[in-house]
């Protein structure tokens, strides 16, 4: 899951028990789909953003239909639990609509803004398979060879330059050669 806000770097997962309760609520609300697949619920709490993913993965298929919900909040001011409930309700509504219509063409593939219960939230649809994404991340971590990673572009650029044997004086010299 990729957060919507550029400031969202550090995060903590929503508690597994809480996510399991949400997953069970979806299974109870959509018994027909629950018997033919599984619901996947993930959530992250960033310093200024709540990010939820509610998905459905049919049995024996790779394509998982997800609704990702992003809600901005102010620490100490907003009721985070209530915002999560709002996000879950919106995800349930979107899943119900998908199950009823069976169409994905009109679903937002990039963050789209919506107003719900006097709160602005953002929704996007994806077909990312959470299990496959997790397995790929695990494999990449096992084979990590120390390549430059992170979210500090200046450090990344400096490390790349150092790896190439360039210094800041060399950076503009390509323009002189051309």
């Amino acid at each position: 899951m990729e957060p919507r806000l550029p400031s969202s770097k550090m995060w903590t997962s929503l508690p597994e028990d809480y996510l399991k309760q949400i997953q069970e609520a979806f299974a109870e609300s959509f018994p027909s789909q629950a018997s033919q697949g599984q619901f996947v619920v993930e959530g992250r709490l960033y310093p200024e953003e709540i990010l939820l993913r509610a998905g459905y993965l049919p049995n024996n298929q790779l394509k998982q239909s997800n609704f990702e919900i992003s809600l901005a909040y102010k620490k100490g001011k907003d009721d985070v639990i209530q915002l999560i409930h709002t996000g879950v309700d919106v995800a349930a509504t979107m899943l119900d609509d998908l199950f009823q219509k069976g169409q994905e063409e009109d679903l937002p593939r990039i963050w789209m803004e919506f107003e719900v219960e006097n709160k602005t939230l953002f929704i996007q649809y994806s077909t990312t398979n959470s299990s496959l994404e997790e397995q790929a991340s695990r494999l990449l971590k096992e084979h990590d060879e120390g390549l430059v990673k992170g979210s500090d572009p200046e450090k990344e650029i400096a490390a790349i330059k150092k790896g190439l044997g360039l210094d800041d004086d060399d950076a503009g010299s390509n323009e002189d050669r051309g």
Side-chain angles (χ1 to χ4, degrees):
M1 285 191 309
E2 294 296 322
R4 177 183 57 83
L5 297 176
S7 64
S8 294
K9 305 280 185 216
M10 296 178 62
W11 54 273
T12 185
S13 291
L14 293 179
E16 285 298 319
D17 291 346
Y18 191 57
L19 295 173
K20 188 169 177 65
Q21 288 176 355
I22 297 168
Q23 188 176 6
E24 289 169 355
F26 283 134
E28 288 176 19
S29 297
F30 305 106
S32 175
Q33 285 78 14
S35 69
Q36 300 171 30
Q38 65 179 354
F39 288 94
V40 179
V41 180
E42 300 170 78
R44 293 180 180 174
L45 189 60
Y46 293 88
E48 298 173 335
E49 178 181 14
I50 300 166
L51 185 61
L52 297 170
R53 177 188 281 169
Y56 176 71
L57 179 62
N59 292 334
N60 303 315
Q61 290 190 23
L62 294 175
K63 182 180 171 188
Q64 177 178 311
S65 295
N66 303 301
F67 290 99
E68 296 174 357
I69 315 290
S70 170
L71 300 112
Y73 74 97
K74 290 187 173 57
K75 190 174 183 179
K77 182 182 176 197
D78 291 319
D79 183 346
V80 173
I81 299 297
Q82 184 57 44
L83 291 174
I84 292 171
H85 287 249
T86 299
V88 170
D89 289 346
V90 168
T93 300
M94 299 299 288
L95 283 167
D96 185 47
D97 194 48
L98 178 66
F99 295 149
Q100 296 296 321
K101 295 180 181 174
Q103 296 177 356
E104 301 173 5
E105 295 83 28
D106 297 333
L107 299 175
R109 303 294 175 144
I110 58 171
W111 292 115
M112 287 190 63
E113 184 175 336
F114 292 88
E115 190 77 25
V116 177
E117 298 176 10
N118 296 321
K119 187 69 182 169
T120 301
L121 55 82
F122 294 81
I123 303 170
Q124 74 178 357
Y125 175 78
S126 76
T127 56
T128 301
N129 184 309
S130 299
S131 177
L132 292 178
E133 186 177 64
E134 182 181 321
Q135 290 173 28
S137 293
R138 219 174 312 134
L139 278 172
L140 290 172
K141 284 179 185 175
E142 288 175 14
H143 294 45
D144 183 4
E145 296 180 14
L147 299 175
V148 177
K149 295 178 182 59
S151 61
D152 187 344
E154 290 179 18
K155 285 183 181 178
E156 291 177 22
I157 291 169
I160 291 169
K161 284 181 180 179
K162 184 178 179 182
L164 294 172
L166 300 173
D167 59 26
D168 288 333
D169 295 335
D170 294 334
S173 63
N174 281 343
E175 295 171 4
D176 297 335
R177 293 182 200 150

